[in-house]
Amino acid sequence: HKRIVVIGAGIVGCSIAYYLSKMGQRNITVIEQGPLFETGGSTSHAPGLVFQLSFSKVLTTLASQTVETFKELSTDEQRSFYPVGSLEVARTPERLEDLKRKAGVASSWGIEALLLSPQECAEKNSLICPDRICGGLYVPSDGIAKPLHAVDKMTRFSKECGVEFYGHTEVTNIEVTNGQVKAVYTSAGKFEADVIVCCAGFWGPRIGEMVGVTIPLQPMAHQYVFTNDLLELNGETEEVATPLIRDQDNAIYFRQVDKGLGIGSYQHEPFPIELSDITKYGETKEMPSVKPFTPKDFEKPWEDALELIPALKQPGIKKGMNGIFSFTPDGMPLLGESQAVGGFWVAEAIWVTHSAGVARQMAEWLMNGAPTVDLELCDINRFDTYACSPVYYKQRSIEEYEEVYSIHHPFMQRKVSRNMRVSPFYMRQQELKAYFNEKAGWEQPQWYEANYPLISTYEKKMVIRKGWSAEYWSPIIEAEQLHTRQYAAIYDTTAAKKRLEIKGEGALQFLQKLTTGNIDITVGQSIRTCMLHERGGIKDQIMVIRKNISTFLIVCTGAVEASWIQKHVPQNGQVVFQDVTSGTCSIALIGPKATGVMKSVVQCSELSSTWIEGQAKTLFIEKSSVLALRDSYGGMESWELITTSDQGLNLWDVLIEQGQPYQLIAAGDRALENLRIESFSLKSGKDFWSEHHPYEVNLHEMVDLTKPVFIGKEALLDRQRKDSETVLATLILDDPSAIVMGYEPVFYGETALGFVTSAGYSYSLGKGIVHTLLSQAVHEEMVLEVEYFGQRYKATMMTHSPAVV
Ligand code: FAD
């Protein structure tokens, strides 16, 4: 057994020790600086509201698993969970619409949720004044968690399995040798360790500093008050019997606490807490996770609370606090083993709501090599270097706090910490009045206002968008898409993927082990293949280009996948890994005239007829040395052109200039995405992820079972033998004016079969097109329906790719 040291005995640390013990792991030590188990961390005073449902599938799953665990641990004598249900009320018509959308994802993720009228809300929780609301969403399985009760049950079990808990013991340093953790130094001596799991809550960044790993979280104070007893709750005998209430329009939430209420508010100005201002247990009278209450900041939330719950007028506030917990730049937890230091695992920025679910997944990850739930969006390695700057993650985390209860549009812009990374084409894109969005820190053009005149050319074919789908949208997107289909466009794909160079005498052997395809291709060829994790799920779909006998360029999805590849690089000196993303840029030249443009910028001899699809050559495009790959995109001729960042501007200018006779334009990412969807092309991380294996999502051709070994092969064969739980289907919406956005549920009669992963519009069919993941096979005769904002739209399965116009 590996020696595992868990730092922190809050809900997260204790849940991880519990799940590891349940899975048979021994040799676990938990070290806590405060007393056991009311440690003074965030868990000690967490009000424990559990709203499971969110637009994020992974967070919803983690929350549901937490509820499951807390229910299992709950007894009549000691309740770990009160399943009293929750009500999210809408104070505005916009919020009510958003709740309809949320009811849709509830069906997508398999959670029961009911839209209620104002009166029905008041029937569920009689404290609510129905005149103040437009309606609400009721989730019967939500409730109140009692994390300290759960901790008590879990730690009793863990202790029986031999887990040792040390209270009043502070971790002061960590020993790392050759990039691998070795031991933890504490106020009570040294503990040898093969694996450290950092569950130190908002102290996490300090522990990270001990091993040189950035843990990009920002501690923030958040207001929570207790009221005096309400007459209306006089007869209550349970600590909590009434449904929780969330009033997101006013950024407040409510729970019953015996005969009074607990009220939390996100309304105030954010209070970021500096690491230097965080105390240790015993240093101050209050717990380290509590800052003094600032009553002035609660005046407005209190007024709003009185409006929704008039019964609050009489009792008034008993006491309040500004309690500290963690925020991250994207609102997601930080999980997994750090790429930089072997054996240093992190489970940070986790709400009580997701705690036990996270613990279960972390234990699986540690013991089996991969979790069953895809945790890519929570992976600690998802940030590139830029995002590890404290300025960046502080600003973004504050923005997260401010927006925590806002209505989030999928294409909503981030306001702060922009222009972190720009491609060499940025200057030209600004001249073309690009509308930028951020992707992995890069400013990525979504469309170009300079293409506005194209609208009149394509207007007749375009669909009229209204409401939600017309927000953060421009008809220019459609014009760019249609223009690409007719002529050609260049797309800046610098931000779309990561580019890695793998070289050395062991490079081929390494890539053969890493991927499911045969990488022993001829020099200049490329191959699309999969990487599987240890349990046979798809870690990523990647492209490999063999540049010379022992040098390969890998194009993978993002930082998580890149760090996964790096982690597997053998340490025998025979393989060199280099992330060349920031030093390179890439352009996709797409459309029926793309090869015409290429002919005018490269020597004709280079463009001989023997240059087949999938082949790459290094050549000059005027002054720029470019790796050019002949490809196809959306059923059209396309070229992927990669060069170094210093030469990118040259390349762009030459293409634009020489492309004039071909009506070449620069077009944005939104058109590119729609071209992908309308041509039935799937995207790793969007249409399938590590929970799926290649046979489930029609990637059979990317697996070469004749290869003796590759990571995940045994598990894949095993999974292939079992019945698949998922099918991927492409549907067409019957109503030509119907447009959906993604994550909507797909119904067959009253049964939700699954949900939409990617949504676009096919101009050849004149209809909306969606990729879906379903729990059972469907066929063309079945009448399926996609639900969008509470409305059902008929949909038909497509068996073949539509002919593209
Ligand atoms: P903690 O409970 O803080 O545990 C971390 C532990 O690590 C601490 O005990 C600390 O002492 C220990 N530690 C740190 N450094 C060291 C060291 N060097 N050596 C040894 N030990 C160390 N979540 C919800 O889901 N629902 C809610 O309704 C909710 N409401 C909240 C309201 C308020 C006012 C606050 C403050 C938080 C709320 N949260 C809520 C968030 C939730 O409480 C936290 O996210 C959660 O408790 C974090 O658990 P944890 O185990 O990660 O951290």
Side-chain angles (χ1 to χ4, degrees):
H1 281 288
K2 286 179 178 164
R3 292 159 301 181
I4 300 184
V5 173
V6 176
I7 305 175
I11 184 66
V12 175
C14 293
S15 304
I16 289 181
Y18 171 70
Y19 267 105
L20 283 171
S21 307
K22 269 186 97 164
M23 288 180 73
Q25 171 71 34
R26 296 294 173 261
N27 247 327
I28 304 168
T29 309
V30 181
I31 298 185
E32 167 57 51
Q33 64 187 4
L36 298 173
F37 286 96
E38 207 167 321
T39 64
S42 308
T43 307
S44 308
H45 51 70
L49 290 86
V50 177
F51 290 90
Q52 297 165 85
L53 188 56
S54 95
F55 287 103
S56 155
K57 183 173 190 297
V58 57
L59 289 184
T60 307
T61 307
L62 294 171
S64 303
Q65 293 188 348
T66 302
V67 167
E68 212 177 286
T69 304
F70 282 15
K71 273 164 78 176
E72 276 166 22
L73 296 168
S74 208
T75 56
D76 286 345
E77 297 76 50
Q78 199 185 37
R79 305 283 291 269
S80 299
F81 191 71
Y82 290 90
V84 290
S86 76
L87 276 167
E88 264 186 54
V89 296
R91 296 267 226 150
T92 60
E94 293 75 30
R95 181 70 62 177
L96 189 62
E97 283 301 292
D98 200 51
L99 292 185
K100 286 184 191 161
R101 195 165 69 94
K102 208 163 190 182
V105 293
S107 303
S108 297
W109 311 155
I111 296 257
E112 189 190 357
L114 305 162
L115 276 167
L116 302 185
S117 68
Q119 204 51 47
E120 286 168 326
C121 290
E123 280 160 26
K124 291 278 175 216
N125 190 329
S126 58
L127 295 174
I128 293 174
C129 171
D131 303 344
R132 297 292 179 191
I133 59 174
C134 315
L137 186 70
Y138 176 60
V139 177
S141 56
D142 281 349
I144 289 289
K146 297 289 290 176
L148 291 180
H149 291 178
V151 160
D152 184 52
K153 287 272 166 44
M154 289 194 271
T155 51
R156 277 170 204 257
F157 176 87
S158 309
K159 282 178 192 164
E160 277 170 22
C161 298
V163 177
E164 294 192 340
F165 290 88
Y166 290 80
H168 294 293
T169 307
E170 186 190 353
V171 171
T172 50
N173 207 354
I174 293 173
E175 184 184 324
V176 176
T177 311
N178 296 330
Q180 170 67 39
V181 297
K182 289 285 171 212
V184 173
Y185 291 91
T186 76
S187 51
K190 180 178 172 184
F191 293 80
E192 308 279 347
D194 304 303
V195 168
I196 292 172
V197 193
C198 175
C199 308
F202 55 80
W203 288 268
R206 278 200 193 150
I207 306 288
E209 274 172 14
M210 296 176 192
V211 289
V213 169
T214 303
I215 297 184
L217 67 77
Q218 176 62 47
M220 304 282 287
H222 161 65
Q223 288 205 304
Y224 187 72
V225 305
F226 295 88
T227 71
N228 291 308
D229 290 355
L230 278 73
L231 283 176
E232 287 74 1
L233 294 175
N234 227 344
E236 290 296 347
T237 49
E238 289 273 19
E239 178 187 339
V240 45
T242 55
L244 338 172
I245 305 169
R246 187 146 76 171
D247 172 6
Q248 304 211 58
D249 296 308
N250 289 311
I252 45 179
Y253 59 84
F254 306 81
R255 61 156 285 190
Q256 181 194 339
V257 187
D258 300 315
K259 294 180 174 48
L261 291 186
I263 311 175
S265 160
Y266 288 100
Q267 222 184 72
H268 53 83
E269 285 293 307
F271 307 132
I273 307 288
E274 299 306 325
L275 269 188
S276 53
D277 289 339
I278 292 171
T279 54
K280 283 187 213 161
Y281 191 88
E283 274 181 2
T284 48
K285 208 162 96 263
E286 279 286 10
M287 288 184 187
S289 52
V290 175
K291 293 279 171 199
F293 184 56
T294 47
K296 200 137 190 50
D297 295 302
F298 204 75
E299 283 172 8
K300 176 73 174 63
W302 180 248
E303 275 174 34
D304 296 328
L306 284 179
E307 232 182 66
L308 184 68
I309 303 183
L312 280 172
K313 204 167 182 156
Q314 153 261 327
I317 297 170
K318 182 159 69 183
K319 60 174 181 174
M321 66 164 140
N322 292 1
I324 308 174
F325 68 119
S326 310
F327 271 75
T328 58
D330 56 6
M332 299 297 278
L334 305 166
L335 309 179
E337 186 181 15
S338 153
Q339 161 52 35
V341 179
F344 186 70
W345 290 69
V346 168
E348 288 287 343
I350 299 153
W351 289 26
V352 170
T353 301
H354 309 112
S355 55
V358 162
R360 184 160 140 191
Q361 296 305 321
M362 286 285 291
E364 285 181 0
W365 201 347
L366 272 152
M367 305 274 290
N368 303 336
T372 40
V373 171
D374 182 285
L375 295 178
E376 153 141 12
L377 296 172
C378 310
D379 197 308
I380 176 76
N381 301 303
R382 67 187 179 274
F383 302 104
D384 273 307
T385 321
Y386 75 94
C388 293
S389 116
V391 177
Y392 170 86
Y393 64 78
K394 182 174 176 180
Q395 284 184 348
R396 275 289 166 92
S397 303
I398 291 173
E399 192 182 41
E400 270 300 316
Y401 190 94
E402 288 169 333
E403 303 283 348
V404 71
Y405 279 175
S406 303
I407 295 174
H408 291 268
H409 192 279
F411 292 110
M412 206 163 123
Q413 289 270 6
R414 301 306 301 248
K415 293 187 205 73
V416 299
S417 285
R418 292 295 298 264
N419 294 311
M420 298 295 295
R421 306 169 95 183
V422 294
S423 79
F425 323 125
Y426 185 61
M427 198 193 296
R428 295 289 179 263
Q429 292 166 344
Q430 281 182 310
E431 287 162 11
L432 295 172
K433 299 197 170 47
Y435 176 91
F436 290 101
N437 216 341
E438 187 234 276
K439 178 159 198 297
W442 297 94
E443 292 298 319
Q444 190 188 44
Q446 303 299 294
W447 65 83
Y448 295 90
E449 289 294 332
N451 288 330
Y452 186 82
L454 289 179
I455 294 177
S456 56
T457 314
Y458 298 103
E459 217 160 22
K460 286 203 190 83
K461 285 191 161 187
M462 284 161 40
V463 253
I464 312 279
R465 290 185 177 233
K466 290 190 286 273
W468 189 246
S469 71
E471 285 178 34
Y472 303 95
W473 167 262
S474 164
I476 298 169
I477 297 168
E478 283 171 86
E480 288 178 353
Q481 183 184 348
L482 288 159
H483 190 85
T484 310
R485 285 252 171 252
Q486 204 156 339
Y487 301 100
I490 52 170
Y491 292 87
D492 175 2
T493 49
T494 307
K497 299 266 179 178
K498 273 240 167 212
R499 294 169 290 282
L500 315 171
E501 203 162 80
I502 308 280
K503 58 183 168 191
E505 53 180 309
L508 175 63
Q509 199 190 353
F510 165 58
L511 290 175
Q512 289 289 40
K513 192 176 156 215
L514 195 77
T515 65
T516 56
N518 186 358
I519 306 301
D520 198 4
I521 46 180
T522 44
V523 170
Q525 271 305 326
S526 69
I527 180 173
R528 286 196 162 80
T529 182
C530 291
M531 303 190 296
L532 306 185
H533 60 50
E534 285 74 359
R535 295 171 75 165
I538 304 167
K539 190 73 196 166
D540 198 9
Q541 188 206 311
I542 61 174
M543 182 160 70
V544 183
I545 302 170
R546 191 167 198 173
K547 288 175 75 177
N548 65 43
I549 202 75
S550 56
T551 307
F552 299 82
L553 183 76
I554 313 284
V555 183
C556 69
T557 295
V560 172
E561 293 73 17
S563 75
W564 195 79
I565 295 174
Q566 191 176 6
K567 189 177 128 191
H568 284 83
V569 170
Q571 297 303 306
N572 56 10
Q574 292 183 356
V575 182
V576 178
F577 169 99
Q578 200 187 354
D579 183 343
V580 295
T581 314
S582 296
T584 54
C585 56
S586 79
I587 290 176
L589 167 61
I590 306 173
K593 305 282 184 214
T595 303
V597 177
M598 276 297 279
K599 282 190 178 143
S600 62
V601 293
V602 298
Q603 299 263 333
C604 257
S605 59
E606 305 259 27
L607 265 180
S608 66
S609 57
T610 55
W611 191 339
I612 53 165
E613 193 181 313
Q615 207 175 7
K617 290 185 191 176
T618 302
L619 45 76
F620 275 94
I621 292 185
E622 208 176 63
K623 295 170 229 153
S624 315
S625 170
V626 175
L627 178 70
L629 173 83
R630 188 172 200 153
D631 208 354
S632 73
Y633 196 94
M636 288 176 289
E637 182 87 350
S638 82
W639 295 83
E640 194 69 35
L641 307 171
I642 301 172
T643 187
T644 48
S645 296
D646 53 346
Q647 304 215 299
L649 195 56
N650 260 327
L651 175 63
W652 178 280
D653 286 345
V654 171
L655 289 170
I656 289 285
E657 199 185 302
Q658 300 295 326
Q660 292 299 314
Y662 301 92
Q663 308 225 34
L664 179 83
I665 57 162
D669 192 61
R670 301 282 291 279
L672 188 67
E673 174 69 350
N674 214 11
L675 285 167
R676 172 187 79 78
I677 298 166
E678 76 162 327
S679 62
F680 271 45
S681 176
L682 304 175
K683 196 173 185 176
S684 185
K686 189 138 205 297
D687 300 305
F688 56 86
W689 43 89
S690 70
E691 288 163 29
H692 311 113
H693 63 72
Y695 299 115
E696 278 176 320
V697 292
N698 312 334
L699 297 179
H700 309 66
E701 284 172 11
M702 292 188 188
V703 185
D704 181 354
L705 286 177
T706 63
K707 265 194 353 182
V709 276
F710 55 81
I711 298 171
K713 184 176 176 186
E714 290 309 312
L716 176 66
L717 291 172
D718 194 41
R719 284 175 74 166
Q720 193 195 4
R721 278 190 285 271
K722 295 183 186 136
D723 275 348
S724 171
E725 286 169 14
T726 310
V727 243
L728 210 143
T730 298
L731 314 180
I732 294 291
L733 302 175
D734 293 359
D735 175 351
S737 66
I739 289 173
V740 300
M741 302 285 283
Y743 303 142
E744 295 81 8
V746 178
F747 284 93
Y748 181 51
E750 283 317 301
T751 311
L753 290 187
F755 57 91
V756 172
T757 53
S758 295
Y761 201 84
S762 163
Y763 289 99
S764 56
L765 300 169
K767 286 179 178 172
I769 182 167
V770 293
H771 298 316
T772 62
L773 278 175
L774 307 176
S775 57
Q776 68 170 68
V778 290
H779 53 78
E780 280 166 285
E781 272 77 56
M782 285 166 79
V783 180
L784 301 167
E785 288 175 309
V786 175
E787 189 184 291
Y788 183 64
F789 286 92
Q791 286 230 23
R792 299 271 179 102
Y793 294 91
K794 290 211 163 35
T796 313
M797 187 194 157
M798 288 287 291
T799 45
H800 56 279
S801 173
V804 277
V805 286

